[in-house]
Amino acid sequence: MSRRTALILPALFVLTLVGIALAAPLLDLANPVRQDMANRLAGALAGSPLGRDEFGRDVLSRLIWGARTSLFVAFTAAAIACVLGTTLGLIGGWFKGIGAFVAIRSAEIILCFPPILLALLVVTLLGPGAGTLILVISILYLPGFVRVAYAQVLATRAMDYVEAARALGLPTYQILLKTILPTIAGPVLVQLSLAVAAAIVLESGLSFLGLGVVPPSPSWGLMIRGARSTMEQAPMLLLWPCLALTLTILAINLLCDALRDWVDPRSSAGPKLRLIDRVVPGLLPPSIPDATLEVRDLTVEITTPAGLIRPVDGVSLHLAPGETLALVGESGSGKSLTATAVMGLLPPEARPFAVTVAFVGRDLFGMAERERRALRGDRIAMIFQDPMSSLNPVMRVGEQVVEAIRAHRPVSAKAARAEALALFRRVGIADPEARLDAFAHELSGGMRQRAMIAIALANRPQLIIADEPTTALDVTVQAQIVELLAELQRETGAALVFITHNLGLVAEIADRVAVMYAGQVVEQGPVAEVFTSPRHPYTAALIAAVPEPGRDPVGIPGVVPQPHAWPSGCRFAPRCRFAAEACGVPVGLVETGSRAVRCVRADTLGALAPPAPRAAEREAVAGASNVGAPLVVARSLTKTFHRAGFFRQGPGVQAVAGVDLTVHRGEALGVVGESGSGKSTIGRLLLGLIPPTSGTVQFEGRDLTTLAPTAWRAERRHMQIVFQDPFGSLDPRRRVGAQIEDGLRLHGLCPPAERAAKVRGLLERVGLDPAYASRFPHEFSGGQRQRIGIARALAVEPRFLVADEPVSALDVSIQAQIVELLSDLRRDLGLALLFISHDLPVVRQLCDRVVVLYLGRVMEVGPAATVLDQPRHPYTQALASATPRVQVADRRQRILLPGDPPSPASPPSGCVFRTRCAFATDLCATTAPPLEPAADGRLIACHHWQALTP
Amino acid sequence: MLWLIRRVATAAVLAFIVATIVFLTLHLVPGDPAEILLSTGGSAPDPALVEDLRRQLGLDQPLWHQYLVFLERLARLDLGRSLVDDYPVAAEVALRLPRTLQLIAAGVVLSILVGIPCGVLAALNPGGAFDRLASTTAAVLLAVPVFVLGTLLILVLAQQLRLMPAGGYVDPLKDFPGFLVLVSMPAVAIAKGLAAVLFRMTRTSVLDVLSRDFVRTAKAKGLAPLRIAVRHVLRNALVPILTVLSLHMGTLLGGTVLIELVFNWPGLSTPLLRAVESRDYPMVVGIVITISGLFLLINLLTDLLYGWLDPRVRTS
């Protein structure tokens, strides 16, 4: 049954039932309460097709009038509960605070009573009757609506697009009506149909007990009650109301299920794609006998509603023992799928084929699943991207290592535990004994990834596949993990496949690199050669998109096409600056020596120089001259977050502690630091979106913290925000044009007639087709959404823009495009920019000045070029050195910071950085260093910076 | 440990609030409670009787005094006396509660034994024959109200086929096989909803866990499928199943009221219904407090089980 029919059939049934019930007085029915003892328990009579009951009343008529009673009670009660509950939930979820807390909790207390008992209690006091029923049922189902609405509001409230609406200055009631209500309408509708069904059950149950509808009024529950006494003589009398009741509830339940699927597409399993195991056994002997891994012509097929796609298309790789091969490419290039196929972990919908997939000469695709399982985790191991979700949350991590050991070797539990301990020690987990008994959520991100590595190493594999193992980690922790992997590889001689989108990492860790684009390998060869003289235009463009010292990045126009829309010829041709007519035909991978290239023009083009950065860029970076008077001034800014508890207030987390900050007109100020350093909190504080715990924020001399709500909203037109997550920052239910227009309308910035033209102009300004205004957000790629977010922010012509990690969710080629756009806008509009990022090279390129944060405190602040090129503070030095560089020659000695950043809930005494600082002394433990000016215009918070300056 | 204390304390606070609400219901209704309880069909009650009842319920005392007396009695497990026959409510509850508990236990055990394994089986081959059959059955079972199913079971198995006794009760300590025969039909009727809900939740939950990253990790370790199902999937899947179990206990407890009537099971239902009809307020309050307390206790137990299953709960 299709989704549509699943929704329409039960809906029709319910509607028909409601129609008949409503029309009961108009239908030519016998009087449902007229008794006729002569025809007691009679079968079908003229005018009574279903016969008569124990008092000789017409059964059909009583059924229909009964439906009227049941449905009236159920719908009225459910509607009352819905309106009241949703309102309470909306208000509670939005305003929080103590009143909301009481409202939510008091509604939940109703849930402490079994429903029918609460009903009986009320009936005792008020007596039976339809009114009592409605009262009881609406009270009973109120909490359900409060919960649903409350939970939805909380979830929606956290979305960036809601914060964007607030940042635009939309009044609260408009946000609730326009953004929140449409989002929660679906779940509330589901809850409504649930409540109606439950109300019918409760009403009939109470009537059955004789405590609901008062006889002789007809009701299905009463009919069943009456028919019970005569069930021996007239069983049909019992069946009719039972059937009516069950069918009605079934229909409403089905409607409810269908609604739920319709509201939440994730809950339905979707059509099951059959696994057709069409694995081709190895026809050819492996050509490289000593290769650890040899993959020839690997293809993965998936049947989708849009047709058959091949996200991996003819990939060939080989890997010698002890070698590291990096697999790079933008998202959607098929790197992860390739690795998953080699491991044999593809979901059943994906079917792999290959000429050869051989591990030390053994054909992986040809062997039985049993044999393959014996290799998996033993000879071949894999490390995944997100260590949190990849570890079982309810099993101690030590057990998970032990399990990996004992799956392949017959060792005792005790011996396995001893091995696990040794492994933990080896991968650098501090306090390994205690950590063996920890759960994943009790470890930091870096520790979790170390535990994952311990699992992978458990049986000393010959081949390790690491799928973006450091993407979820901070750059300082990334440096630790990469170092560890390289070390372990040297020790065990394992071959390593390292999947990443970070070219800098490739340069640091890999021997050879395979660049993938749209399911194919486009270039392969030794890293040093490929990176210094790329031969495929895509490789060259990728390298050029990475920000590096002394060279500005250049983005690649366009996006990676979807697998069902791949060009028939060279797949990169539409984005290639060298594309020619010859590129229209499919291209093969041509091997020459140690290199391989998939480009028809490779010979003509020769070694490719990176595309020249635009001249305008140079100016923007060089000319910090347009920086004017102070625009935003923050003094002793502190923000402490408290977790609300039922009995007590949780411990405070100091996200920002005593920060002084000034953003000048037209200036770009970068804010850098690890996660938990308070970067995003500062952004929101400066915009006045959250109130500081102490300290002041002044915008053009006006104190944002003391403004009245109306004045505060009026202020919104001067300052705007762009978010990190391009998917959460736009309301999925509203057209892009309408969202951009919000700010114009709200602040009356242009006459209604000109708004559409203005929106088109804004779209053009951020490099999009003006016709896109009428589209919905899901029709755009991540980079395009980010442009829309910028257009929305620009609509009010702000003087100050906070960009909170605006490029970190984007591929490097797209990242460069957005940075170019921001840089252009700054130059053209004289915008002041607070650029929050963990990516030092991007900040270096875009910003005039930079603030380095650690645990909510400023470590170093000054001109971006000075601070980032010659860092003075030990933390800035470590941060700068941990950033991987593409240019092999540019590699500096890396400073590895030990451990993870301490929790902001309990910062170290004195200098907060001292616990990870190599130069810390006793002084650092007792006294927090003040920010001291250095000769070159920067400020440093370190007791020893002068001693450390070379 | 702190987590444990907090959970128990929360349950205690809730129990206190529930008792307070039950106490207040009488006073929340507008008008004189004694008059309301004695009035039948609009005719004004005898003022002398009203005065009597007022004294009997302590309504002549100030509200705070009544409340303190109510709490003090509750602490001594004294639920007052019936208005109808002056019998102590606590004694009536003590006599009948075990029988209701037996029925509830039979229902819960039955629904767990049927619901969870069927759910796992259905999830292992979604869209297969068993999945379709079980899902349809669950949908129908969810739609049949308990008392309808109970009545139909009697109609078919007892009246028409004469396979089972239509109702009745025997003490399991005296005649266990006889008890099993008598409890089977009411237990089936009570268990049907919970079994269907558990089946659905188990199916969804197992399907969800199967697609998680840590199951992929387990596969990447080369673990055998059975071990993955037992060690990695089941325990994670049990967490949401448990939530659903505790959420639906209220429905199950309410169902016993109806089912005891249908099957002549001499539990708390009979005195409760009689008391509601005769407006025997102390008896109704006593039984409502008992069953609500039971409900809170079950929820507390599932909460504790929840913490044992999912270590993240303990620290949150």
Side-chain angles (χ1 to χ4, degrees), chain B residues 72-289:
Chain B
E72 185 251 349
R73 282 187 178 168
L74 201 59
R76 285 189 287 118
L77 297 182
D78 177 359
L79 298 172
R81 286 171 175 274
S82 161
L83 293 183
V84 177
D85 51 15
D86 206 34
Y87 193 72
V89 174
E92 182 79 5
V93 168
L95 172 71
R96 289 172 177 268
L97 179 64
R99 303 173 185 157
T100 297
L101 285 180
Q102 289 157 9
L103 187 55
I104 291 170
V108 171
V109 168
L110 189 65
S111 49
I112 290 177
L113 286 184
V114 174
I116 296 183
C118 285
V120 174
L121 218 57
L124 289 181
N125 186 13
F130 178 79
D131 181 28
R132 286 205 303 269
L133 178 73
S135 295
T136 314
T137 314
V140 173
L141 282 182
L142 274 178
V144 194
V146 263
F147 65 94
V148 168
L149 183 65
T151 311
L152 290 179
L153 280 176
I154 293 180
L155 177 68
V156 175
L157 294 181
Q159 297 272 6
Q160 305 286 329
L161 301 176
R162 313 243 167 229
L163 289 174
M164 301 287 262
Y169 174 80
V170 47
D171 192 335
L173 295 175
K174 289 185 184 129
D175 176 12
F176 193 65
F179 170 79
L180 283 187
V181 169
L182 284 170
V183 85
S184 57
M185 279 208 299
V188 166
I190 281 226
K192 68 93 199 170
L194 189 60
V197 168
L198 284 180
F199 162 79
R200 282 187 157 194
M201 198 62 224
T202 307
R203 181 182 178 279
T204 315
S205 178
V206 169
L207 275 178
D208 173 51
V209 174
L210 278 174
S211 68
R212 301 268 192 87
D213 284 351
F214 61 81
V215 172
R216 186 183 58 182
T217 309
K219 283 186 196 156
K221 284 181 195 169
L223 298 184
L226 187 68
R227 193 180 164 83
I228 294 177
V230 175
R231 293 290 313 255
H232 292 273
V233 177
L234 204 58
R235 187 156 164 198
N236 276 287
L238 275 179
V239 176
I241 295 172
L242 201 63
T243 313
V244 160
L245 181 68
S246 78
L247 271 177
H248 282 261
M249 281 309 294
T251 319
L252 189 129
L253 291 178
T256 53
V257 176
L258 289 154
I259 282 305
E260 287 184 8
L261 175 78
V262 171
F263 288 96
N264 273 328
W265 191 269
L268 286 172
S269 171
T270 327
L272 175 63
L273 293 176
R274 209 189 307 128
V276 174
E277 270 166 22
S278 58
R279 302 191 144 186
D280 183 352
Y281 184 74
M283 182 65 92
V284 176
V285 164
I287 295 175
V288 167
I289 286 192

Side-chain angles (χ1 to χ4, degrees), chain A residues 109 111-112 117 124-125 127 232 257 373 376-377 384 389-390 392 395 399-400 403 408 439 441 648, chain B residues 6 26 36 159 162 200 213-214 216-217 219-221 223 225 231-232 236 279 291 295 311-312:
Chain A
I109 284 172
L111 294 173
C112 294
L117 286 174
T124 314
L125 291 167
E232 221 154 338
D257 287 349
R373 204 167 67 217
R376 226 171 14 227
F384 300 97
S389 65
S390 299
N392 189 335
M395 210 166 155
E399 262 178 85
Q400 300 184 54
E403 179 184 64
H408 298 283
F439 291 99
H441 70 274
R648 63 195 171 88
Chain B
R6 200 179 305 163
L26 191 62
I36 289 168
Q159 297 272 6
R162 313 243 167 229
R200 282 187 157 194
D213 284 351
F214 61 81
R216 186 183 58 182
T217 309
K219 283 186 196 156
K221 284 181 195 169
L223 298 184
R231 293 290 313 255
H232 292 273
N236 276 287
R279 302 191 144 186
I291 300 187
F295 184 40
R312 282 168 296 184

Side-chain angles (χ1 to χ4, degrees), chain A residues 767-786:
Chain A
L768 291 173
D769 185 342
Y772 286 173
S774 57
R775 295 199 185 175
F776 285 97
H778 68 260
E779 297 174 66
F780 297 95
S781 69
Q784 287 173 321
R785 282 162 186 254
Q786 211 55 300

Side-chain angles (χ1 to χ4, degrees), chain A residues 153-168:
Chain A
V153 172
L154 281 194
T156 316
R157 212 193 133 97
M159 300 297 287
D160 287 342
Y161 66 82
V162 175
E163 183 149 26
R166 247 166 55 79
L168 276 175

